[in-house]
Amino acid sequence: MSSHWTTDEISQLKRAVRAVDERLEKQLRWTKIAEHLNISKYKKRDCFNCYRELKVIRNAAKIVTKEVTRVVASEEEVVVIESLSEEKENKLPEPIIAIDMKKILRQLMKDPALSSAFRNPVMGPLTKVILKDPSCLSDPETFFKDELAASPELRALADEFLPKLAAFIAELSKPKEKELKKESEKEPEIEKEEKEKVEEADQDRPSEADNLTKEEEANLSDLSDFDADQPSSSEALTRDEGLSIRKLVFGDPALVFNPAWRKQGFFFTKEDEELGYGLVQTDGGPCGVVAAVQAFVLRFLLFGAVENIETTIIDAKEGWRKPSKKEQKAAVVNAVARMIWGCSVSGVGTGEDYCKVEKKRPAKVAFPAGDDKARIAKAKDFKHDGITEKLMVTTCYNFADCLDVVKSNAGFLMKKDQGGVVCVVISCLLSRGLDTVGTDMDSNFGIAPKMIGNHGYAAQEMVNLFLTGVASSNMFDGEKRLEDDTGAGSGDCVVMGGVPLRSDVGFLTLFEAFGNVSVGDNFKVPRCPIWVVCSESHYSTLFSPLAKHVEEYDEKAYGEDRDIFYYDPLGEQEGEIKLTLDFKPEKEVALGGGSEDDLTPPINKVIRTKWPGTAVDWNGSDEIL
């Protein structure tokens, strides 16, 4: 594949791979890499195949010998050579079997028995060693020898899988053996100037680390060799995971989701054909989840299945108010999949690195299996709620697989009285990582935070997780550090986490109008003109089909387009609510929260946190007080 690539072209390819955002969907990413490379004869598939082959070459070369192994790149070809000792300078090297254990490890994980063995907690420490250095599996008996002697439990497990493992590796190694025997028959002839090219070209070769995630402490379900081509795999939610989820959500693992959450799905209103974009919430409580999904549904219906919206979007097409049943389903599936996937690739970090460090994890999509069977036994400390104990969790390594899993469960997700809301919550938590979610949230000075408040409403941490992939506790940009100013010299400080990056859909809150919180531009100026709104302990949505409304008011840019729309899934709206904004009202409008007898609609005050001093005309709709 790469034999027709020159050294300079390979260097350009490597730079292009580094330059293009790895969070993009795979097909789009390689399209952009090809565009960035800007060499007409190489298309997307050529770039992908060459880059993949270079990785295989590099990995195989490191395993073939402990002596110096080089990848030679000449104008005509890329070959793997083995350095010769002084005694064998004029002799051909002995044929050596090169085993790409990293590739074999991915094949092993497709076998249910071997996959289950590697995921067994008894294997935990050894599994991490294997992930960091798959070559140790080339001789399984030797690798496991000392550990087996010290652990009878591991010995029993090994008796079951070691013979199959050895046979599997031997079988997968055969093609490589044949190929290298052919290569060993060729006598390498390398001139001095070619060797100099080797050293120069080797600097631009894809390193083994290119395949690895930075999350070295991840368990096996978060394979450090993060290959987007890995097939998805499913296993039941464990009891420990179920208890940890409830601890995060309720602060008490003995509590369960109440009926308002368990009986809420994502279905559309039938009240008005002009509200075909609107989801319906049946009872108070899960509004934070429903509003977040509603925002991403609008993102899809207004602006399409755009994989990565960077700086510009185009205005919505006509007909967005009346989507077909097929379009409604596609919108819900895309919205939920995008939220879950966003949690798996979200940014993390602290201090100066906040918002810059990214840890890539596979997405975890949780839905009940079709047999309606409980996977977790009922116990004194684990109550059944009708959903959690039945969940199967599918691990997805690319967005396409994540989308497919959500789509295959769309019937359950969109049923009126099923637990679609609960499945979305648990999927997002698992995709972010339960331990990571715990560290995302502020500690509240020793009091463990929880994601659902005392009255059954979603806390800010849960809404932030849906919108940004990070369960931070605040709405300002980045993080804030409250230093110890007592003069004691302890150096203690409290770190408060906010919104790490500009979000696709934004967030506005009445609490900012009251001066209680601060919302940063990452939420106020999202990529799409769609905002989840928190007002009077309830979440709803504001949006515009016009791209210009993302930015702050500009008289020239806005022109006469001053209409935005409000939708409340719980409001039982009988018609569209269009709000016309007056950015230069004759009478001055204050931002403040006002007194108890203030009859200014709370939504007006929320809007003024985005567009200060704006007057709002409800165009005949009843003002929501």
Side-chain angles (χ1 to χ4, degrees), residues 66-281:
K66 292 182 180 179
E67 298 179 34
V68 179
T69 305
R70 295 176 178 175
V71 180
V72 178
S74 66
E75 288 293 322
E76 295 80 22
E77 59 183 354
V78 176
V79 296
V80 180
I81 67 164
E82 184 181 7
S83 65
L84 306 178
S85 59
E86 291 183 1
E87 309 87 56
K88 299 180 179 180
E89 210 169 51
N90 298 316
K91 297 180 181 179
L92 288 173
E94 292 295 323
I96 298 175
I97 299 175
I99 304 176
D100 185 355
M101 290 308 304
K102 197 163 285 195
K103 184 175 181 180
I104 288 179
L105 180 59
R106 291 196 291 272
Q107 294 295 322
L108 295 178
M109 298 313 300
K110 297 178 183 179
D111 184 275
L114 293 175
S115 176
S116 177
F118 278 111
R119 286 183 164 86
N120 192 301
V122 177
M123 281 278 290
L126 293 180
T127 296
K128 291 181 180 180
V129 174
I130 293 169
L131 291 175
K132 291 179 181 178
D133 183 14
S135 63
C136 61
L137 281 180
S138 57
D139 187 357
E141 289 288 351
T142 301
F143 173 69
F144 285 104
K145 183 177 180 181
D146 294 336
E147 299 293 338
L148 295 177
S151 173
E153 189 176 4
L154 181 59
R155 174 76 261 178
L157 179 65
D159 287 342
E160 297 179 9
F161 81 87
L162 269 182
K164 186 171 185 177
L165 176 65
F168 210 112
I169 292 174
E171 181 64 26
L172 292 173
S173 303
K174 287 180 180 179
K176 286 290 182 182
E177 181 179 358
K178 293 177 182 178
E179 290 174 15
L180 283 178
K181 281 184 178 179
K182 290 180 180 179
E183 289 295 327
S184 67
E185 295 172 358
K186 301 178 182 179
E187 180 177 0
E189 299 178 356
I190 305 171
E191 302 296 334
K192 180 179 178 180
E193 55 189 79
E194 290 179 321
K195 291 183 179 181
E196 292 174 354
K197 288 183 181 180
V198 170
E199 297 172 357
E200 179 180 351
D202 192 53
Q203 296 176 1
D204 284 324
R205 285 293 171 274
S207 68
E208 189 171 14
D210 286 331
N211 278 333
L212 305 179
T213 178
K214 298 175 183 177
E215 202 163 23
E216 294 182 354
E217 298 302 320
N219 57 31
L220 189 59
S221 63
D222 294 338
L223 287 174
S224 59
D225 184 4
F226 194 100
D227 183 353
D229 290 328
Q230 289 182 82
S232 57
S233 59
S234 299
E235 54 189 2
L237 183 78
T238 67
R239 180 177 175 278
D240 288 343
E241 287 173 331
L243 291 172
S244 296
I245 288 169
R246 288 174 175 175
K247 176 69 174 176
L248 281 172
V249 174
F250 305 108
D252 183 350
L255 299 179
V256 299
F257 290 96
N258 66 33
W261 288 71
R262 298 198 305 268
K263 298 296 182 180
Q264 178 67 57
F266 301 101
F267 60 99
F268 289 86
T269 180
K270 296 180 181 179
E271 293 298 322
D272 190 318
E273 63 176 11
E274 292 291 333
L275 297 176
Y277 54 80
L279 298 175
V280 176
Q281 182 184 338

Side-chain angles (χ1 to χ4, degrees), residues 412-469:
F412 174 87
L413 190 68
M414 297 180 69
K415 272 194 176 180
K416 180 177 180 179
D417 58 351
Q418 296 295 324
V421 156
V422 173
C423 292
V424 169
V425 171
I426 292 177
S427 297
C428 287
L429 289 172
L430 291 173
S431 295
R432 176 64 173 158
L434 301 182
D435 290 339
T436 305
V437 169
T439 59
D440 283 343
M441 300 187 288
D442 292 351
S443 64
N444 291 332
F445 303 99
I447 301 174
K450 50 187 179 182
M451 307 195 83
I452 292 183
N454 295 331
H455 300 290
Y457 300 116
Q460 189 65 46
E461 289 84 353
M462 181 179 286
V463 176
N464 282 6
L465 178 66
F466 298 147
L467 301 186
T468 71

Side-chain angles (χ1 to χ4, degrees), residues 340-407:
I340 295 171
W341 186 251
C343 293
S344 73
V345 297
S346 47
V348 294
T350 58
E352 294 181 356
D353 292 328
Y354 196 78
C355 312
K356 299 177 183 178
V357 180
E358 291 178 359
K359 296 184 178 181
K360 200 170 185 180
R361 297 165 297 279
K364 305 294 184 73
V365 188
F367 283 103
D371 57 10
D372 202 37
K373 177 183 176 182
R375 265 73 186 173
I376 305 175
K378 192 173 183 179
K380 186 176 181 180
D381 63 344
F382 191 92
K383 299 178 183 178
H384 282 188
D385 60 18
I387 300 174
T388 307
E389 68 275 4
K390 300 176 183 179
L391 293 178
M392 292 294 294
V393 181
T394 302
T395 300
C396 302
Y397 294 89
N398 55 71
F399 179 71
D401 283 353
C402 180
L403 191 68
D404 286 343
V405 175
V406 175
K407 185 176 181 179

Side-chain angles (χ1 to χ4, degrees), residues 21 116 175 211 443 456 482 499 539 570 572:
D21 191 344
S116 177
N211 278 333
S443 64
L482 305 181
V499 183
Y539 296 98
L570 188 61
E572 298 182 351

